[in-house]
Amino acid sequence: MRVLAAMSGGVDSAVAAARMVDAGHDVTGVHLALSSNPQSFRSGARGCCTLEDSRDARRAADVLGIPFYIWDLAERFRADVVDDFVAEYAAGRTPNPCLRCNEKIKFAAVLDRALALGFDAVCTGHYARILDGPHGRELHRAADPEKDQSYVLGVLTSDQLRHAMFPLGDTVKTEIRDEAARRGLAVADKPDSHDICFIADGDTAGFLRNQLGEAPGELVDTSGSVVGEHDGTYGFTIGQRKGLRIGRPAADGKPRYVLDISPVDRRVTVGPREDLAVDEVVGMTPRWCGAAPSGAMECAAQFRAHGTAVPSRVEVDGDAVTVRFHEAQEGVAPGQAVVLYDGDRVIGSATIERTAAWAGSPA
């Protein structure tokens, strides 16, 4: 097949491309330029959008003996990922930009262009597996549970899965580094990127403040009493404990957590940990990795990239997906993705619109 290998400049995508070459495919490497000013993004191990990364990707392609190109997707990335990230925080929600990048950039903009150019598939260094099963092409968890990235790939449709390849899904990360060294790839010891690639210094609250400006407001407890002040609701996420700047301790002396974020009146509500518990979420705009289910089903639901999937009962009604956890969960926030699993197989995902507390009152 003609395979377009998305090469970030890291060890995973380099080995993924190498494995495609070994498999006999006609491979072309492409690095995605996602910033109009890459020097403003983080350098070294702190991201995947730097000039250094593009050079590392080119050197890896040279070692593999494959053609290499750089595609400028900075404008699309800004609109679909960065602007969306800012808008979601401004609305008091908690987005996942990596998931959005996979949905809008790597398996939409890139895949669409690849197919138009005559490629059969796009290959990446994600840790996940694609298997043929009773549901057609199925997305499954990776063999390495510590590196599994099926959560951030849960937005892929069955058609996108037909044109996606994840050559690393059956291998643990330590073996990937050893393989890269044997192949003579200079990125063998390059640290993994982490955090949000488009925030230069890792200061998410500072980045959002620069984008949205200061919008001071009040921290209140569940009775409505003012217990502190803040510079902007965008600096908080549901379940946050640190950095609250509360003026006086709670009557019971216990820590307080962010329970609710209201950008309209600039209020952040804090309270005891037990008030974080929810047993139900409603997700919208579902994306199914196969045929859309209908009615009710038992499955596992995961709402964080590195979280644990928990037993749940799910009801699908058109574009609404209601997930009821068998046991109450903490730190679930609107804007997060809830990804549904049948064992290791990804059923699909939805964006959390609202939650309900364990006692049944709105959260």
Side-chain angles (χ1 to χ4, degrees):
M1 294 193 299
R2 291 191 67 206
V3 176
L4 185 74
M7 302 181 70
S8 67
V11 62
D12 295 329
S13 59
V15 172
R19 289 186 173 189
M20 291 292 92
V21 172
D22 287 353
H25 299 301
D26 178 5
V27 181
T28 296
V30 63
H31 179 77
L32 309 181
L34 301 180
S35 170
S36 56
N37 181 17
Q39 292 174 315
S40 70
F41 285 10
R42 14 185 120 174
S43 60
R46 297 292 304 233
C48 56
C49 301
T50 69
L51 292 173
E52 176 190 348
D53 293 317
S54 65
R55 292 164 184 155
D56 286 344
R58 184 180 294 278
R59 282 191 287 266
D62 289 343
V63 170
L64 300 177
I66 62 174
F68 178 81
Y69 300 92
I70 295 178
W71 285 1
D72 183 357
L73 293 176
E75 199 170 309
R76 178 79 178 261
F77 182 77
R78 169 65 64 178
D80 288 343
V81 179
V82 180
D83 289 351
D84 174 80
F85 178 84
V86 173
E88 286 288 274
Y89 266 102
R93 295 158 63 88
T94 305
N96 185 311
C98 295
L99 189 144
R100 197 65 59 227
C101 183
N102 286 329
E103 176 188 358
K104 299 290 188 178
I105 304 298
K106 293 175 182 173
F107 295 97
V110 173
L111 180 57
D112 289 348
R113 185 184 294 189
L115 295 176
L117 291 173
F119 289 94
D120 300 300
V122 168
C123 133
T124 72
H126 284 102
Y127 284 82
R129 294 178 295 158
I130 296 178
L131 305 175
D132 291 320
H135 302 276
R137 293 273 280 178
E138 299 175 350
L139 177 64
H140 286 248
R141 290 192 185 276
D144 187 343
E146 296 298 318
K147 297 298 294 183
D148 175 57
Q149 293 174 295
S150 60
Y151 175 89
V152 295
L153 295 168
V155 292
L156 301 188
T157 66
S158 55
D159 186 59
Q160 290 169 327
L161 289 173
R162 283 194 289 270
H163 299 286
M165 303 179 81
F166 305 129
L168 309 188
D170 60 353
T171 313
V172 297
K173 180 60 179 268
T174 53
E175 294 178 10
I176 295 299
R177 291 199 178 278
D178 291 342
E179 181 177 337
R182 291 195 304 271
R183 292 179 180 275
L185 296 169
V187 292
D189 295 322
K190 185 176 181 178
D192 291 339
S193 60
H194 58 89
D195 296 330
I196 301 169
C197 70
F198 55 82
I199 298 182
D201 56 4
D203 180 8
T204 300
F207 172 82
L208 291 168
R209 189 182 306 112
N210 289 336
Q211 298 291 314
L212 298 170
E214 290 194 0
E218 298 173 336
L219 289 166
V220 300
D221 62 20
T222 51
S223 70
S225 298
V226 177
V227 295
E229 297 179 345
H230 63 78
D231 297 327
T233 58
Y234 48 73
F236 301 89
T237 57
I238 300 297
Q240 179 177 333
R241 174 185 172 184
K242 296 182 178 180
L244 300 186
R245 291 170 23 190
I246 295 175
R248 63 175 187 268
D252 59 8
K254 294 181 179 180
R256 280 176 282 195
Y257 300 78
V258 173
L259 304 179
D260 184 64
I261 302 167
S262 180
V264 174
D265 56 16
R266 300 182 179 180
R267 279 196 160 192
V268 175
T269 302
V270 299
R273 179 172 180 174
E274 53 266 28
D275 285 359
L276 284 172
V278 301
D279 71 340
E280 178 180 298
V281 301
V282 176
M284 304 299 291
T285 60
R287 292 175 66 88
W288 304 111
C289 302
S294 60
M297 60 182 173
E298 292 288 326
C299 64
Q302 184 171 327
F303 50 90
R304 293 190 188 92
H306 303 293
T308 301
V310 296
S312 307
R313 182 170 180 80
V314 176
E315 294 184 7
V316 181
D317 183 9
D319 283 341
V321 180
T322 301
V323 181
R324 295 186 176 91
F325 306 126
H326 289 184
E327 294 184 2
Q329 301 297 311
E330 295 180 353
V332 188
Q336 292 175 317
V338 56
V339 178
L340 308 178
Y341 290 84
D342 177 11
D344 282 342
R345 179 177 70 88
V346 179
I347 301 170
S349 67
T351 301
I352 297 174
E353 184 69 22
R354 60 183 182 275
T355 67
W358 182 248
S361 60

